[in-house]
Amino acid sequence: MNNVADLEKNFDSKLEKNDFVEPKDWMPENYRKHLIRQISQHAHSEIIGMLPEGNWISRAPSLRAKMVLLAKVQDEGGHGLYLYTAAETLGASRDELLDALHTGKAKYSSIFNYPTLTWADIGAVGWLVDGAAIMNQVMLQRTSYGPYSRAMIRICKEESFHQRQGYEIMCHLSFGTEAQKEMAQDALNRWWFPTMMMFGPPDKDSPNSGQAIKWRIKRETNDELRQKFVDRTVEQAEFLGLTIPDKNLKWNEAKKGYDFSEPNWEEFYNVIKGNGPCNKERLEARNKAHADGAWVREAAMAYAEKKKENILAA
Ligand code: BYC
């Protein structure tokens, strides 16, 4: 089979049968590009996501909280690694992907451009941000590209611990003193709408969703996932005795889901253009970490070269 029409037919039939597309299989060039864009942005989000949480490791309120947060932040670094590796199977190089991040050409999730001001924010990030990430990633476990799907299966297992870590903090605060409960409510007030933005623009304004669904890269749309997230999270907020900061939030019996307000999409576009509260700080921190790690990369390369020489000489 070697003419393009046959190759396309084979590719389409794979998608229809819900088979995975694997790195050595033929795939349309735009499918490859689409995946490199999405997977690398996802990888960037994981490693930039380490920054707002890493900010609290030295200030966690107990040794246990510090250990749990440290492990969580380390997990995010691992998620970045699985995802960069998945993107590399599509022919992108790690250097070119990281360069796009460091020069501000590549996007990463808007959510990480908001500051973590109090310990309650670490709870809200775990509960809401990881909760939203899981909602999206559970669907991506069934994505059509094999290496991305397998990375997602592993990531989802770890993310569910992260979500519980956040919810546990929210429980401590919400059932604690009046001041602690206020901190928890304040964090929910600030993180609710930015979390809703994580799912991307409304379907009608999402240029990539249509093709992503056709190629089975995405299995559910931005709006469908946002709705699911709201429906699941309302009950969790009620258990905590906290109020979701949306006066339009109301159960709709006809659709068997909640009605809710749209986030401020102007703010969203502004943040992804680089003008959010912490964009500059995040990129500076990432560039510094990359420069500080140069000696590790050089040492690893020197070791690999030496090993290769020894093997060739043997
Ligand atoms: N932030 O056509 P659309 C995590 C961009 S991290 C920034 O709907 P698509 C975690 C979008 O890229 C969770 N940009 O796009 C880590 C596109 O621009 P380009 C990260 C956004 O791709 C540490 C344009 O807007 N999860 O779990 O169909 C600690 C139009 O959008 C955002 C993933 O990355 C945004 N929120 O759908 C804790 C999941 N939304 O590229 C937690 C994988 C949209 O055309 N990614 N844009 O220039 C996806 O599922 C999809 O890429 C998205 C967007 C749902 C994010």
Side-chain angles (χ1 to χ4, degrees), residues 102-249:
H102 295 148
T103 53
K105 278 190 225 124
K107 292 192 174 70
Y108 57 85
S109 184
S110 51
I111 193 74
F112 301 118
N113 293 305
Y114 292 85
T116 41
L117 303 177
T118 70
W119 176 248
D121 287 17
I122 297 303
V125 167
W127 170 37
L128 300 173
V129 174
D130 285 281
I134 295 169
M135 193 59 78
N136 179 291
Q137 288 166 349
V138 162
M139 153 256 336
L140 290 173
Q141 292 180 118
R142 294 180 293 118
T143 193
S144 56
Y145 187 56
Y148 193 23
S149 160
R150 291 188 283 275
M152 281 299 117
I153 291 169
R154 187 154 173 189
I155 290 175
C156 279
K157 290 205 171 93
E158 294 176 354
E159 293 285 23
S160 41
F161 279 106
H162 297 177
Q163 198 266 356
R164 281 179 232 171
Q165 172 261 1
Y167 199 65
E168 185 189 51
I169 296 174
M170 295 307 277
C171 283
H172 278 143
L173 297 175
S174 303
F175 300 120
T177 64
E178 225 15 74
Q180 285 174 317
K181 187 164 182 184
E182 267 171 37
M183 260 172 80
Q185 182 64 55
D186 170 61
L188 172 57
N189 293 348
R190 284 180 291 106
W191 287 91
W192 177 254
F193 283 109
T195 302
M196 302 271 280
M197 295 173 193
M198 284 177 71
F199 297 97
D203 293 352
K204 65 178 175 42
D205 302 321
S206 162
N208 301 303
S209 280
Q211 191 57 55
I213 296 272
K214 274 190 205 138
W215 277 329
R216 304 197 180 191
I217 292 173
K218 277 162 78 162
R219 312 294 299 234
E220 289 169 86
T221 70
N222 301 357
D223 286 337
E224 283 164 356
L225 290 169
R226 198 170 3 256
Q227 179 72 53
K228 269 194 180 174
F229 172 77
V230 173
D231 293 346
R232 179 159 309 176
T233 310
V234 170
E235 210 179 308
Q236 297 167 353
E238 277 169 3
F239 177 79
L240 295 171
L242 299 180
T243 308
I244 290 179
D246 179 0
K247 57 183 179 352
N248 295 318
L249 188 75

